[in-house]
Amino acid sequence: MIVTNGRTVQQDPERAARSWMCQMILCLMKRRPTEAADAWEAVGRDSGVRIPPVRLAQLDTFTSPADRDHLTGSEADLLAAGMATHHRAIRSRRTVRAAVSLLMAMTAFTAATAWKQRRMLHSQRLA
């Protein structure tokens, strides 16, 4: 890679190596959605496809809205199905956490009420 700073021209091998690595990573990322979409097609386009969140984030980052025009229909469908499954899993986890929190609060309230009533009953017996 050649770097210019106005008057001088220099070769920057470090920048060239980084640029080459970035290009290689982009090339690999471009191939992954195609391979994943082909595998998804092979199993009958399961609507509950589970893509690991890290991989989903990588695919989503790679396929920014401007780049989504380059995706095939199958790749776009796979990404949409993976995102939908991920959002359903998040919603489900939130629902379970809310239910558990509510049950714990109700249990604590019931225990406090029972303890208070027991103390009142015990104090009435003593009187």
Side-chain angles (χ1 to χ4, degrees):
M1 171 141 318
I2 298 175
V3 179
T4 63
N5 64 357
R7 293 184 178 193
T8 61
V9 176
Q10 302 173 5
Q11 227 178 357
D12 188 357
E14 188 175 312
R15 185 178 281 181
R18 279 195 312 263
S19 175
W20 177 81
M21 270 309 235
C22 289
Q23 291 299 320
M24 187 66 149
I25 290 169
L26 279 174
C27 186
L28 288 173
M29 288 301 292
K30 285 181 183 177
R31 212 172 347 151
R32 283 189 181 148
T34 304
E35 291 171 357
D38 291 343
W40 186 53
E41 289 283 340
V43 296
R45 292 183 139 216
D46 179 18
S47 62
V49 64
R50 170 82 167 90
I51 300 173
V54 171
R55 182 71 60 217
L56 193 58
Q58 288 173 343
L59 287 171
D60 194 40
T61 300
F62 167 71
T63 56
S64 64
D67 292 334
R68 291 190 184 172
D69 296 337
H70 302 292
L71 292 177
T72 65
S74 180
E75 292 169 347
D77 291 346
L78 172 65
L79 186 59
M83 291 295 267
T85 301
H86 181 67
H87 290 303
R88 276 194 306 272
I90 288 173
R91 249 190 327 269
S92 176
R93 270 186 250 137
R94 285 181 183 156
T95 302
V96 168
R97 285 181 185 153
V100 168
S101 297
L102 180 63
L103 287 173
M104 289 177 63
M106 289 174 51
T107 301
F109 176 75
T110 304
T113 303
W115 180 74
K116 184 177 179 181
Q117 287 178 351
R118 184 170 178 248
R119 282 185 44 135
M120 287 175 52
L121 182 63
H122 184 68
S123 65
Q124 286 176 355
R125 285 188 186 166
L126 290 177

